[in-house]
Amino acid sequence: MRRLVPLFTMCSFALACIVPAGAVAPPPLTGFTAESSVAERAREAAFDATLDAAHQRAWMQRLAAVPHHVGTAADKANATFIASLYRSWGFDTHIERFSLLYPIPKRRVVELVAPTHVRATLFEPPVAGDPTTAQTGRLPSYNIYSIDGDVTAPIVYVNYGIPADYLMLARHGIDVRGKIVIARYGGAWRGVKPMVAAQHGAVGCIIYSDPADDGYKAGLPYPYGSARNANAVQRGSVLDTSTKPGDPGNDRSLLTSIPVLPLSANDARPLLAALGGSVVPLAWRGAYPFTYRFGDGRARVHLAVASDWTHQPLYDVIATMRGSDLPDEWVIRGNHYDAWVNGAQDPLSGQVAMLEEARGIGALARRGMRPRRTVIFCSWDGEEAGLAGSTAWTTAHEDDLHAHADIYINTDTNARGTIEGDGEPVLGVLFNGVARDVTDPERNVSAYERKRDRQLVDGTVKPADANADIVIPPLGSGTDFDSFSQHVGIPSLDLSYGNEIVWGSYHSDYDTFAAFTRFEDPGFRYGILLAQTGGRMILRTANADLLPYRFTPLATSLAAYVADLDDEITTMRADSAKHALLEQLNAYQIASDPHQPEQSFGDDGVVPPVDLTPLTDAIARLARSAAACDALLDAASPAQFARAASLDALVRSTERALLDPNGLPHRPWRRNEITAPGRYTGYAPKTLPYAREAVEARDWDAAHTGVMTIAAAIDRYTAAVDAVAAALK
Ligand SMILES: [Zn+2]
């Protein structure tokens, strides 16, 4: 179904003068009066008219021309070029320099030493038809912040290497103490794998890309498609960012405690083929054409890694356009520009869309449409190492951010696909308004409609909710919103398109301009869509009469998080009871094949009742206050809009109420009581992390304290919402 898109022109008079006869005017945008909403839609139409895919293509080609990881001349040259672009569009631009501990490997060895000898190439060979892949100056394949080490030991296959996999190993009587584990990528963030391996006594960790996950089983490999070819290695950080991102400095506790290296499918193949012992469970089997086995001690591997522990400069490019009416309020937009190698998709696909937004906003300003609030564009360095550039900047400017920042909008990678917007629920109404107003270039329906239909087909949305707002998922970690959202308390949103491609070039030599323009977003049509989406998020926040935030979605999301936690506890209780019975009957052993016996591995105890009513009560109070406040915001009068500066300050303060100055248990840097990256998931979020992670660790006292702490944070938030409502009465 095609949608009629009304044409708006600049008009400062009555609404009727621009609405064609018979057309229905759209409702005013959230945060705008009817009149200012018309002007805003006209600005957005003018913004769209400035966007040109040819710019994105040219900038990506230039910025991705050569490898440009942290510390290279190319990284610095890219910063200088990006700064020159912002300046040319009228932004007050400077480069802020920070320093980062940045180990660069000087020795890497992975070799099978028994029963035969095979040495891994640790090299990604050039691909026919893509000369970029034959360039020199590439950072070797490695996992940054692995400690140095040199170990030779028997090798054990541990599937994804997450805690549940070690329970399965125990059931099969397999102990990894003193061994080197080989884990496949997937299942959790890569940094979790060496951490869990070390907790179980392993002395080394190899992480490889199984063809089942993003390789030939998932799609045609590059250069025939966008899936990972068998020579591609996933580089990446293993810094303990779930505890604290940024420069680890002298804090060795944030490094791994055992050496770790990544392998391609081709390099890992002889290691896995050499494993003896029992056949692994069905779910553990990947896509090599042989039988996967745990390892019986006979296959031995030599793993060595040694790095130069250098310090490298970071160059954050900060470009500011001072607001015309409310210059002390900051709308912040960011995307990193550093890469592991050429980085066309990660991060330049998002970077060039963001640059196009800045160019468009600069063009509007020259035509007298300068944003009302100050807009700050940030091109971050050092993201790949561990969100270093953005974390250094938010740390250096924390007090100013508390005083001035209204929002942080992040992007990173982008490609063909449906809209993804993860973020704080207070931005849900803003996000949905934008998603309904931008058009998917391949289906010609709104990004909202495309996403909603995908969710209906997948069953993640019920037919009864077919016209409801898209619920924005909570933030974990993995890109530059982290310190804004979880340390400083700025409402943040992470935007992208891209789930239609198998993204096998990720962090490899093959993430090139040629690959991106052939397979990932030919014609930069989704690059333009991302610029329209991000640009509207900025413009609607920067130009609103009152900040376009609404509080009800947080109450709704919190209720869902608590229901989910309740389900998790119920499931744990049932599983533990069943497990205790099987242990009592010795059923694991008796039921298993005597030639491949399984063992009992101990009782994990009873799951007691966990009282969640302090949370449900606090959420009920919030829901009442949020509904009342949202109604007042929706009905705000022009006289109230005129007091925007003081009202915005109150609105802004709400998000800070969710922070706990003491931080999460074991992770004091992380202060957000609503969401955090899981300690055993890495990037993926855990909602209500204090209580949920205590439950998962079966620490029932901590679970109770967590419930009370989170309920107190929700009550602080409710009080902040009540203060907004009181100011509106
Ligand atoms: Zn990235």
Side-chain angles (χ1 to χ4, degrees):
M1 185 178 73
R2 284 177 78 98
R3 291 246 164 128
L4 284 174
V5 181
L7 187 68
F8 291 93
T9 54
M10 193 67 178
C11 176
S12 57
F13 302 104
L15 194 60
C17 76
I18 51 86
V19 179
V24 178
L29 296 168
T30 303
F32 291 80
T33 63
E35 189 184 13
S36 63
S37 179
V38 171
E40 171 59 20
R41 287 190 184 278
R43 271 191 297 272
E44 292 174 6
F47 171 80
D48 284 353
T50 69
L51 303 178
D52 185 346
H55 297 139
Q56 296 195 28
R57 183 183 169 86
W59 296 328
M60 179 184 282
Q61 193 161 21
R62 175 177 176 142
L63 294 167
V66 295
H68 55 98
H69 54 273
V70 163
T72 56
D75 181 69
K76 188 176 185 189
N78 281 353
T80 307
F81 174 67
I82 290 167
S84 74
L85 289 177
Y86 285 129
R87 280 192 197 103
S88 74
W89 302 325
F91 286 80
D92 180 6
T93 305
H94 68 281
I95 291 179
E96 250 174 277
R97 193 179 149 143
F98 300 96
S99 172
L100 174 65
L101 176 69
Y102 196 81
I104 296 172
K106 54 187 180 187
R107 178 165 183 256
R108 300 170 303 144
V109 179
V110 176
E111 55 187 344
L112 185 67
V113 294
T116 56
H117 185 258
V118 185
R119 186 161 172 144
T121 66
L122 306 178
F123 178 71
E124 300 177 273
V127 161
D130 186 350
T132 310
T133 60
Q135 287 174 337
T136 56
R138 296 180 274 173
L139 197 57
S141 56
Y142 75 126
N143 291 122
I144 192 169
Y145 303 116
S146 162
I147 59 156
D148 292 354
D150 188 330
V151 289
T152 300
I155 182 169
V156 177
Y157 176 60
V158 296
N159 192 32
Y160 293 116
I162 58 177
D165 294 328
Y166 286 87
L167 290 178
M168 186 60 79
L169 288 165
R171 204 160 123 188
H172 287 82
I174 292 165
D175 188 343
V176 303
R177 272 179 292 186
K179 311 230 172 76
I180 294 171
V181 303
I182 182 164
R184 53 173 165 160
Y185 269 112
W189 172 63
R190 74 182 80 74
V192 169
K193 300 165 196 283
M195 179 177 78
V196 178
Q199 286 168 355
H200 287 84
V203 295
C205 178
I206 293 165
I207 313 175
Y208 80 101
S209 295
D210 197 287
D213 296 305
D214 60 357
Y216 56 68
K217 188 177 177 187
L220 281 173
Y222 192 62
Y224 308 103
S226 65
R228 185 175 296 273
N229 72 42
N231 290 317
V233 185
Q234 185 189 137
R235 289 164 185 74
S237 179
V238 287
L239 185 73
D240 182 7
T241 49
S242 65
T243 296
K244 179 181 175 297
D247 179 18
N250 296 322
D251 188 353
R252 290 189 65 86
S253 75
L254 296 170
L255 314 180
T256 65
S257 57
I258 56 176
V260 49
L261 274 176
L263 291 186
S264 68
N266 276 347
D267 269 347
R269 181 175 177 153
L271 275 54
L272 288 153
L275 292 172
S278 298
V279 176
V280 302
L282 190 59
W284 286 38
R285 299 173 202 169
Y288 290 116
F290 53 72
T291 306
Y292 284 59
R293 300 161 82 181
F294 288 113
D296 60 3
R298 278 180 290 190
R300 293 170 66 82
V301 163
H302 174 211
L303 165 68
V305 54
S307 292
D308 280 325
W309 291 79
T310 72
H311 290 268
Q312 298 293 339
L314 297 177
Y315 306 100
D316 287 343
V317 186
I318 309 297
T320 302
M321 180 166 291
R322 193 178 155 83
S324 58
D325 296 354
L326 299 165
D328 289 337
E329 293 194 36
W330 297 355
V331 174
I332 307 173
R333 173 78 173 89
N335 195 114
H336 74 102
Y337 69 88
D338 67 297
W340 283 119
V341 195
N342 297 81
Q345 153 92 284
D346 183 5
L348 296 173
S349 57
Q351 179 70 219
V352 299
M354 180 177 81
L355 290 173
E356 188 65 357
E357 292 165 29
R359 204 188 61 80
I361 286 168
L364 292 187
R366 275 199 304 281
R367 290 158 58 185
M369 292 179 275
R370 178 175 278 265
R372 295 184 66 226
R373 292 172 181 78
T374 292
V375 174
I376 304 177
F377 281 90
C378 308
S379 290
W380 307 118
D381 200 359
E383 189 270 355
E384 295 294 2
L387 322 179
S390 56
T391 304
W393 192 80
T394 55
T395 304
H397 300 283
E398 190 173 334
D399 291 344
D400 275 341
L401 289 168
H402 279 153
H404 303 294
D406 286 332
I407 191 170
Y408 176 67
I409 303 157
N410 191 71
T411 52
D412 191 331
T413 64
N414 194 61
R416 296 177 54 248
T418 55
I419 192 167
E420 302 299 325
D422 296 0
E424 261 82 41
V426 73
L427 305 177
V429 171
L430 173 66
F431 169 79
N432 275 275
V434 170
R436 289 173 199 265
D437 284 351
V438 294
T439 304
D440 181 285
E442 294 187 332
R443 285 286 179 211
N444 211 25
V445 297
S446 72
Y448 164 86
E449 193 171 334
R450 184 93 210 279
K451 172 78 172 181
R452 192 268 327 272
D453 287 355
R454 178 77 262 157
Q455 292 178 320
L456 285 169
V457 169
D458 291 347
T460 52
V461 161
K462 296 189 191 80
D465 293 328
N467 292 312
D469 273 2
I470 297 165
V471 175
I472 55 177
L475 293 170
S477 181
T479 183
D480 292 304
F481 60 77
D482 190 332
S483 57
F484 286 92
S485 161
Q486 308 202 348
H487 186 68
V488 189
I490 311 300
S492 302
L493 192 81
D494 188 41
L495 277 177
S496 67
Y497 294 84
N499 54 3
E500 253 148 30
I501 59 157
V502 178
W503 185 25
S505 66
Y506 177 63
H507 290 186
S508 79
D509 276 10
Y510 309 114
D511 183 2
T512 64
F513 178 75
F516 186 82
T517 51
R518 281 185 71 191
F519 299 114
E520 294 163 17
D521 185 16
F524 290 85
R525 298 173 78 192
Y526 284 84
I528 290 294
L529 179 58
L530 182 63
Q532 291 174 331
T533 310
R536 271 173 181 67
M537 294 289 302
I538 298 168
L539 289 168
R540 287 186 189 179
T541 312
N543 290 323
D545 295 300
L546 275 181
L547 283 177
Y549 300 164
R550 293 294 181 269
F551 304 107
T552 301
L554 178 63
T556 310
S557 288
L558 282 170
Y561 303 159
V562 172
D564 184 59
L565 177 58
D566 197 26
D567 285 349
E568 184 171 346
I569 293 166
T570 304
T571 304
M572 270 179 82
R573 184 173 297 123
D575 287 352
S576 290
K578 177 183 167 190
H579 176 61
L581 175 68
L582 297 183
E583 287 286 346
Q584 196 189 339
L585 297 172
N586 201 16
Y588 293 113
Q589 197 171 354
I590 295 167
S592 66
D593 176 351
H595 299 285
Q596 297 203 21
E598 296 182 22
Q599 325 192 341
S600 68
F601 53 95
D603 191 340
D604 51 20
V606 173
V607 176
V610 180
D611 183 11
L612 301 181
T613 51
L615 286 174
T616 49
D617 290 351
I619 293 165
R621 289 189 288 273
L622 171 60
R624 283 192 296 276
S625 289
C629 187
D630 286 354
L632 289 167
L633 284 166
D634 285 339
S637 67
Q640 286 167 324
F641 284 147
R643 293 190 290 118
S646 59
L647 286 169
D648 280 2
L650 286 172
V651 170
R652 202 163 52 226
S653 73
T654 55
E655 196 70 22
R656 242 77 89 208
L658 297 172
L659 299 186
D660 188 320
N662 298 319
L664 297 177
H666 317 295
R667 304 194 279 175
W669 184 88
R670 295 200 173 275
R671 300 169 178 163
N672 191 318
E673 288 291 351
I674 306 307
T675 180
R679 290 175 78 195
Y680 292 103
T681 57
Y683 288 171
K686 291 272 183 184
T687 57
L688 317 176
Y690 193 155
R692 192 181 299 271
E693 297 212 311
V695 165
E696 290 171 359
R698 294 171 183 268
D699 184 343
W700 310 114
D701 288 343
H704 174 72
T705 312
V707 165
M708 301 312 289
T709 305
I710 298 164
I714 296 169
D715 282 340
R716 286 196 301 274
Y717 189 88
T718 302
V721 171
D722 287 342
V724 176
L728 283 162
K729 276 177 185 157

